[in-house]
Structures are given as structure tokens and as C-alpha cells.
Amino acid sequence: MSNTHADTVLFVRDTMLPQQEPPASTVGALGWAKANLFSGWFNTTLTILSALFILYLLSGLVPWFASPTWYAASLTECREILAGHEGACWGVIRERWLQLMFGFYPSELYWRPVLALVLLFVAVAPVLFADYVPSKLLGFTALYPFIAVWLLWGGTIWAPVMALLGFVVAFFVFRYASKQISPALALIAGVIAALLWWMVITPAITPDLSRLLPIGIEAVQSRQFGGFMLSITIGVTAIMCSLPIGILLALGRQSDLVLVKAICVGFIEFIRGVPLITLLFVASTLLNIFMPPGTNFDIILRVMIMVTLFASAYMAEVIRGGLAALPKGQYEGADSLGLDYWQSQRLIIMPQALKISIPGIVSTFIGVFKDTTLVSIISMFDPLGLSNAIRADTAWNGVYWELFIFIGAVFFIFCFSMSRYSMYLERKLQTGHR
């Protein structure tokens, strides 16, 4: 019996034990904390002291932020609700947040800037997310600037239509002239044709068209713009226009044509050597001196032009850095394929330079958007300018932190979104070195 039992005993395992979970102290949040926060007596001491300091800060900040003053109608009422305790007066945000968003824009027309903002996201979608949005929307992207101007300022529809036709004229002139002369001269011819259309033909035709076909919406004056609507309008315009202008300036600075190079270098160095606030003062006060008498040059348009030129100069240097980072072999490869200058720039050089320059480009965009707050210096009611106007009201005289925290939070949302998109684009294009 014992021999039979001995014959059935196996000395080699014929089954595998089930896999066990790793120790809880080495994985997950607990494992990370043990490895990074409590890996030794020094790190443990720093972790405890830091936790106590954070708890001390939260003990003061949480009650301040959680104060029950949302429905207060004045600073005095906030103080009565708090009964001597420290706390924020959020009633000013509840009562004035629409003013911080839209400035003095007519309340019955709020739907127009809201619609313009929604259409902005639709217009930029095929540019920012080309892999997920059909390219057919690029046609709407090209039309959006004219639609947005009409929605925000109102008036006759023929003004933006004539502005759009100016670009169409420039395109056809460039296309025809490029077959006869060099692309650079053809581009100059297209620009001249567009300027003639806008300055000569448009003023002569638009009034008659408005009388024959009075299509339009209620006009809104630029002095009624304000708040984040004003900042977004100036910032988006500067961001959209500064990139192509910056590309042209960067290429012009590296041009072999002495005159073109001198003009681009002079423009870039002059703009980068002058503070933005000085340019805004020029746009606000001095520019009208050089205009013909009776010329009505919109103040917001003047500011847009100055901010765009300022951003273009910095954008040109960012892109020039990307061009300088490319190895010489890329240029030689383009030459070996028989490509001319513009073909090599469009197909080989510029895509790589822009890919390298993504962090600097987005950083410039963020800086431009934040710099729109400087328009408060020239008496334009951006969010910071409106905060001063709100505090001038006797009901809210003395409120500071609540307004600035709200304004800072909205700016953070926009700037953080641009930063996250930059990181997404870098990962998508694999700009980092492996």
C-alpha cells in the first residue's frame, strides 16, 4: 500500500499558483507616497511640516471663500451678514458679472457677442483639430472674421461684404500677376489692388448699396465695448493676424534682398524696443493727428492694429529661431528636389520651423492676450478698467480681492487652455527628442 502511494507522489509541480497582487505599500497612491514623501526621516519631516502649513492656509482661505454673501446687494450688507468675521463679498460678482463680461454693450443684444464666441470655436475647430473636424469648415473659417465684425458692431451688411471682396480682388490680382512677374512683386500688386478697393471703390459703392438693399442690424458704438468681450476681441484678432505677419517678417529678415531685409529688421527692432503702452498711446491720441480731417478711425481698430504689430515683431523672432534651428541639409534637400523658394518654404522648411517653435508661439499668444489689459491705461473699459468703475459705485466702494480673483480666474481659464493645447500639439507632432 505504501509503495502504491509512493508511486503517485509528484516531485515536479504540474499546476501554477495564481498570481498574487503586489504589496499594497509599493503600488498606487500609498506606494507613491512612501517612495516620494516618506522615504526617509528628512523627507518625512518636510512632508509633515508642509501638510501643517497647507492646513493652516486652508483654515483661513476656505472660510473666506465660502462666505454666505452671494446675494448681498452692497459691501455694507456683506459686513452685516459676516457679523465681524472675515469673508469675501461675492455679491459684487453676482450683480456685476455681466458687466465684467460685456462692458456697456446693450443687454438686449448680448446674444450677438455670445453667438460670435460660439462661432469662433466653430471657426477655429478645423484649424486646431484637423484630424477630427472636416476640412470643409475651412471655408467658414475664412468667412468668420467678417461675420464676427458684423455681429459685434452691427450696421449694414455691405461693409463687411465689401471688405471681403477686397481680399478676393487681391487674390485674383496676385494669381494673375504671379504668371507675369515674380511672386514678391505679384504680392505687392495684390496688396495695392486691395487698398485701392477699400479706400476708393468701397466708400463710393457702400452707401448706394445700403440704400438700395438696406440689410443690417442695430449698430453698436465702440465705446460700448468692454469687459472680457473687449479683451477677447483684441486678443483673438492679434493672435490670428500676428502669426502670418510674423512668418513674413521672419522670412524677410533672412532674405538676400537688401531692401526687404532692412525694412523687416528695422520694423522688428523698433517695435521690440518700444513698450506696448507707448504704442497704445500713439494709437489713442497721436494717430488721428496724421489722418485727414474728418476721418473716423475706430479706436478699437487702432488698438487692434498696434497690438497686432507688437505681437508680430515678437512672433517673427520666435519663428526665426525655429528657422535657425533647422540643419542646413533641409535647405539643400529642398534644392535637390528642384523646388523654388516658396515651394521649399511651404512644403519643407516652414512646417518644421513652426513645429520647433510651438512653445514660443503659444507663449507669445498667451502674453498678447494678457497684455490686452493695458488698454485700461487709454481709458478703455477692459475687465481691470471696469473693476475701477465698479468700485467707484458707493455700494461696492472698498471691494478689491473679489473682483481681481474673478478676473484672474477667467484669464487663467483662457491661458491655461492655450497652454494645454500647446502640449497636445507637441505630443501630436512629436516635437521632443527621444
Side-chain angles (χ1 to χ4, degrees):
M1 185 68 179
S2 60
N3 291 335
T4 304
H5 177 71
D7 293 339
T8 62
V9 174
L10 299 177
F11 294 95
V12 179
R13 185 173 60 190
D14 59 355
T15 59
M16 296 295 293
L17 295 175
Q19 186 174 0
Q20 300 295 319
E21 294 292 334
S25 60
T26 61
V27 296
L30 185 61
W32 180 88
K34 183 178 180 181
N36 296 277
L37 302 179
F38 302 99
S39 57
W41 68 268
F42 183 71
N43 279 350
T44 302
T45 303
L46 289 180
T47 299
I48 294 174
L49 292 177
S50 300
L52 292 175
F53 180 69
I54 292 173
L55 289 175
Y56 171 74
L57 291 179
L58 292 178
S59 65
L61 291 176
V62 172
W64 190 86
F65 277 97
S67 62
T69 56
W70 185 253
Y71 294 99
S74 65
L75 180 59
T76 302
E77 189 173 340
C78 286
R79 290 170 177 169
E80 292 175 355
I81 294 173
L82 295 172
H85 296 86
E86 293 292 331
C89 185
W90 296 119
V92 65
I93 304 301
R94 179 191 61 82
E95 185 174 304
R96 298 298 184 95
W97 75 274
L98 284 175
Q99 188 177 7
L100 288 171
M101 289 294 176
F102 300 101
F104 302 103
Y105 208 85
S107 58
E108 68 274 10
L109 301 179
Y110 281 168
W111 64 270
R112 282 161 49 176
V114 171
L115 178 60
L117 181 63
V118 173
L119 294 179
L120 171 63
F121 293 126
V122 177
V124 300
V127 178
L128 302 182
F129 305 101
D131 295 340
Y132 308 101
V133 180
S135 59
K136 295 179 180 179
L137 281 176
L138 287 174
F140 177 76
T141 303
L143 293 176
Y144 172 76
F146 308 96
I147 297 173
V149 168
W150 184 57
L151 283 175
L152 293 177
W153 276 272
T156 177
I157 196 174
W158 296 111
V161 168
M162 296 299 290
L164 174 61
L165 290 177
F167 287 98
V168 175
V169 169
F171 171 76
F172 281 106
V173 169
F174 169 77
R175 186 174 180 180
Y176 174 77
S178 60
K179 299 177 182 178
Q180 312 296 329
I181 55 179
S182 65
L185 294 177
L187 180 62
I188 295 174
V191 171
I192 294 175
L195 292 176
L196 290 175
W197 177 272
W198 291 326
M199 299 177 66
V200 178
I201 299 177
T202 297
I205 296 179
T206 303
D208 296 332
L209 288 175
S210 301
R211 284 192 297 268
L212 292 175
L213 296 173
I215 304 173
I217 53 180
E218 181 180 347
V220 178
Q221 300 299 319
S222 294
R223 62 175 178 270
Q224 296 176 279
F225 282 52
F228 283 101
M229 185 185 70
L230 178 62
S231 295
I232 293 173
T233 302
I234 297 174
V236 169
T237 303
I239 288 172
M240 291 174 58
C241 298
S242 64
L243 182 59
I245 296 175
I247 291 175
L248 293 177
L249 288 172
L251 294 177
R253 183 159 190 166
Q254 293 189 331
S255 174
D256 294 330
L257 300 175
V258 178
L259 179 60
V260 173
K261 183 174 183 178
I263 292 174
C264 292
V265 171
F267 174 83
I268 292 171
E269 297 302 329
F270 172 76
I271 295 295
R272 293 176 71 235
V274 178
L276 176 58
I277 189 61
T278 304
L279 299 177
L280 294 179
F281 274 120
V282 171
S284 175
T285 58
L286 300 180
L287 198 59
N288 275 343
I289 299 176
F290 301 98
M291 302 299 294
T295 302
N296 183 18
F297 199 0
D298 189 87
I299 178 62
I300 295 181
L301 179 59
R302 283 181 269 163
V303 170
M304 285 179 181
I305 293 174
M306 287 301 181
V307 176
T308 299
L309 295 179
F310 182 82
S312 300
Y314 283 87
M315 190 66 66
E317 290 300 281
V318 171
I319 296 171
R320 188 170 69 92
L323 292 171
L326 289 180
K328 189 177 180 181
Q330 297 296 321
Y331 295 89
E332 295 174 346
D335 294 336
S336 67
L337 293 174
L339 302 178
D340 61 24
Y341 176 80
W342 294 106
Q343 289 175 331
S344 63
Q345 290 292 339
R346 180 172 60 89
L347 299 175
I348 296 178
I349 305 302
M350 194 53 64
Q352 298 183 74
L354 292 177
K355 185 172 68 172
I356 295 172
S357 306
I358 286 174
I361 291 173
V362 176
S363 178
T364 304
F365 286 167
I366 293 174
V368 168
F369 183 65
K370 292 188 295 184
D371 284 344
T372 57
T373 56
L374 292 175
V375 299
S376 61
I377 304 297
I378 57 174
S379 302
M380 296 183 70
F381 289 98
D382 76 308
L384 291 181
L386 280 175
S387 68
N388 295 329
I390 292 172
R391 287 188 289 108
D393 188 345
T394 55
W396 303 112
N397 190 7
V399 172
Y400 293 94
W401 287 104
E402 295 83 352
L403 291 169
F404 294 142
I405 288 173
F406 177 77
I407 294 170
V410 176
F411 269 106
F412 173 79
I413 291 172
F414 282 100
C415 296
F416 183 72
S417 300
M418 286 189 278
S419 176
R420 297 302 298 180
Y421 176 77
S422 169
M423 297 173 64
Y424 155 78
L425 196 59
E426 289 181 45
R427 290 193 299 268
K428 174 186 173 183
L429 301 177
Q430 298 179 354
T431 56
H433 296 285
R434 297 187 177 182

